[in-house]
Amino acid sequence: MAIANSLMNPRLVEGLKTIVFDNDGVLIDSYEANMVYYGTIRSELGLGPMTEAEKYYVHTRTHEEAVRHIVPADRLEQAFAIGRTMNQADLAPYFKRSDGIREFLWWLRAAGFQLAVNTSRGESMNLVLKLTDLEGFFHPVITSCVVSKPKPHPEGLYRIMEAHGVRPDEVAYIGDSVVDQRAAQAAGVRFWAYRDPALDAEVHVEDFWSIRAAMQRCYKGCAPAF
């Protein structure tokens, strides 16, 4: 295990061609938005607040998995109907771009890296990227809507590697949950944990300024000034 900083062993970041990002909790801080969304569904159904374990679950899983986990089986149809009436744009005030992420993405692109997203989020992903001014950085953007098996299955990472023409050892996946960890392990790619020291990761990233500094020792790039 290593902590990402300018003194980290550069061999840990050498040989990379593709950087893949999880969305919720990595590219953006969407925790509050998810709590509002799923909390509203439970409230509309007359159910009590979510437990801490339920909050963690809904923040890391697909929409369908999350709803099925926090709503009784006989209320699922109602729950999904409530979800369909909620406008994701109304949650915009609760979406916050992670500090330093846009600057890190600019630097990665300037340094020649290919960038992609592998997320459990579904149809709302394009809107989230637009709301947080992160459109145009990633290809492909793999959501739960375009895979037959969502994370932790490695299908999404396999599709990214095929699209980029890279080997598993040339890919780093930055995630913040055990679901991301398992997906990376199943695909054989490097796993970098974002702000969770309990995860089993090759590199632990506390912030995007630090991982950028670590990578600059191996890769040359010139990000635009902000």
Side-chain angles (χ1 to χ4, degrees):
M1 182 189 83
I3 306 298
N5 57 49
S6 59
L7 301 178
M8 186 180 73
N9 187 337
R11 291 184 179 180
L12 291 171
V13 296
E14 286 179 345
L16 292 170
K17 294 182 179 179
T18 289
I19 310 296
V20 183
F21 294 83
D22 176 40
N23 178 59
D24 296 81
V26 178
L27 291 178
I28 64 168
D29 178 357
S30 58
Y31 184 81
E32 190 174 359
N34 285 334
M35 296 310 104
V36 170
Y37 178 83
Y38 292 108
T40 298
I41 289 177
R42 283 183 62 93
S43 177
E44 290 289 323
L45 292 174
L47 302 173
M50 291 182 287
T51 65
E52 292 303 313
E54 288 172 331
K55 291 177 181 179
Y56 178 83
Y57 188 95
V58 301
H59 191 55
T60 59
R61 300 301 180 115
T62 67
H63 174 259
E64 182 173 349
E65 289 173 328
V67 173
R68 290 184 181 279
H69 186 74
I70 62 169
V71 173
D74 61 346
R75 309 291 299 280
L76 285 174
E77 187 174 343
Q78 281 180 277
F80 286 121
I82 293 169
R84 286 192 294 270
T85 67
M86 296 175 65
N87 189 341
Q88 287 288 328
D90 292 338
L91 298 174
Y94 303 105
F95 289 122
K96 301 174 184 177
R97 190 172 68 212
S98 293
D99 184 44
I101 184 59
R102 202 165 188 273
E103 294 85 347
F104 183 45
L105 294 174
W106 272 113
W107 179 83
L108 287 171
R109 190 160 67 177
F113 287 94
Q114 301 179 94
L115 308 177
V117 169
N118 185 39
T119 177
S120 296
R121 185 172 285 273
E123 296 177 351
S124 62
M125 187 60 205
N126 288 337
L127 176 62
V128 169
L129 291 177
K130 181 177 181 179
L131 291 172
T132 54
D133 197 22
L134 293 177
E135 286 183 300
F137 285 104
F138 311 104
H139 178 76
V141 176
I142 301 296
T143 70
S144 60
C145 297
V146 300
V147 292
S148 58
K149 296 181 179 179
K151 297 185 300 182
H153 193 278
E155 179 184 344
L157 289 170
Y158 286 153
R159 292 179 60 167
I160 291 168
M161 286 188 280
E162 181 179 6
H164 288 190
V166 293
R167 303 187 307 266
D169 63 289
E170 296 173 323
V171 178
Y173 182 34
I174 305 178
D176 70 327
S177 73
V178 68
V179 175
D180 300 319
Q181 173 191 308
R182 291 172 180 168
Q185 291 170 340
V189 306
R190 310 186 204 188
F191 179 58
W192 294 356
Y194 185 68
R195 293 190 169 181
D196 190 341
L199 294 174
D200 182 12
E202 186 173 344
V203 175
H204 283 269
V205 179
E206 181 58 30
D207 60 73
F208 290 111
W209 305 106
S210 298
I211 188 60
R212 172 179 164 177
M215 295 182 73
Q216 282 179 318
R217 297 179 65 196
C218 298
Y219 304 97
K220 294 182 179 180
C222 183
F226 287 83

